[in-house]
Amino acid sequence: GGSDDAKRAAGESAAEAVSDGMIVGLGTGSTAAHSIRDLGRQVDAGLDIEGIPTSFQSRELAREAGIPLTTLDDARPDVAIDGADQVADGQLVKGGGAAHAREKVVDAAADRLLVVVDPTKEADVLDHPVPVETIPDARQTVADAVRELGGEPELRAAERKDGPVVTDNGNLVLDCDFGAIAEPGALATDLSKIPGVLEHGLFIGLADEIHCGTDEGVRVETL
Ligand code: DER
């Protein structure tokens, strides 16, 4: 991935948009982690916010950073800050951290979604494999349906555990390579219809700003 300096620049740029009294959706991944750490420093300095985490990882990081937490049972985010695996024309592929089901709920509930990336995530056309979270029993029928749509599904293997990655929701992830995705909106709709699919990593029409960190500074695109 991109340089940590670029990721930090993006993360801190988005964190600047957070002000007193806000409820903030806290995204998952190494770039959003910089936003969480920056917000923690701002909370130490007196910023009055509450965070809604999007994964086990972002919740633990927010607790370490000292950010008071709440949930969607009690609040709605004014702004969410989250990373992406790829951005093209304002549309996202997410799910590198297998957290995209809860991320999409929080990101969609936010008034504004600020996406934090480095230049390695930017593309002209989305062509990154799309993570699809499936209930375990439906893995094969979902894989069949993905192939029908022209994708090549691959069960995401865990690193330091024998067998597959298991999500915070107890499900499995298929990384589905469709090559270049000409109509991401249409594919998103088709994937959502597959029985057994809990959520997929195409985030269509959700991003409001893209903060792209470079070694020279941050480029902010408002959508
Ligand atoms: O899992 C996710 O959706 C993350 O946001 C991921 O897409 C980006 O993670 P990174 O900032 O570590 O590259």
Side-chain angles (χ1 to χ4, degrees), residues 141-217:
T141 49
V142 169
D144 292 348
V146 164
R147 289 188 192 95
E148 284 294 303
L149 292 172
E152 183 51 48
E154 181 180 322
L155 182 63
R156 187 179 298 184
E159 306 253 316
R160 303 203 333 261
K161 163 191 176 285
D162 290 340
V165 162
V166 178
T167 71
D168 291 353
N169 313 307
N171 294 314
L172 304 179
V173 177
L174 297 174
D175 288 302
C176 302
D177 189 348
F178 292 92
I181 302 170
E183 299 291 338
L187 179 57
T189 302
D190 290 339
L191 289 173
S192 295
K193 285 181 196 162
I194 301 172
V197 168
L198 182 86
E199 190 53 87
H200 58 76
L202 287 171
F203 283 47
I204 305 300
L206 288 178
D208 292 290
E209 291 179 9
I210 310 285
H211 293 242
C212 183
T214 68
D215 294 339
E216 291 76 48

Side-chain angles (χ1 to χ4, degrees), residues 78-102:
D78 302 289
V79 63
I81 301 175
D82 207 346
D85 294 307
Q86 193 173 53
V87 182
D89 190 26
Q91 315 304 353
L92 316 176
V93 174
K94 283 179 56 56
H100 53 290
R102 210 179 322 170

Side-chain angles (χ1 to χ4, degrees), residues 51-77:
I52 299 179
T54 55
S55 65
F56 182 93
Q57 181 233 28
S58 71
R59 179 177 161 279
E60 288 303 290
L61 194 55
R63 289 177 65 220
E64 282 164 32
I67 300 172
L69 297 179
T70 185
T71 70
L72 290 175
D73 287 348
D74 299 319
R76 290 291 176 276

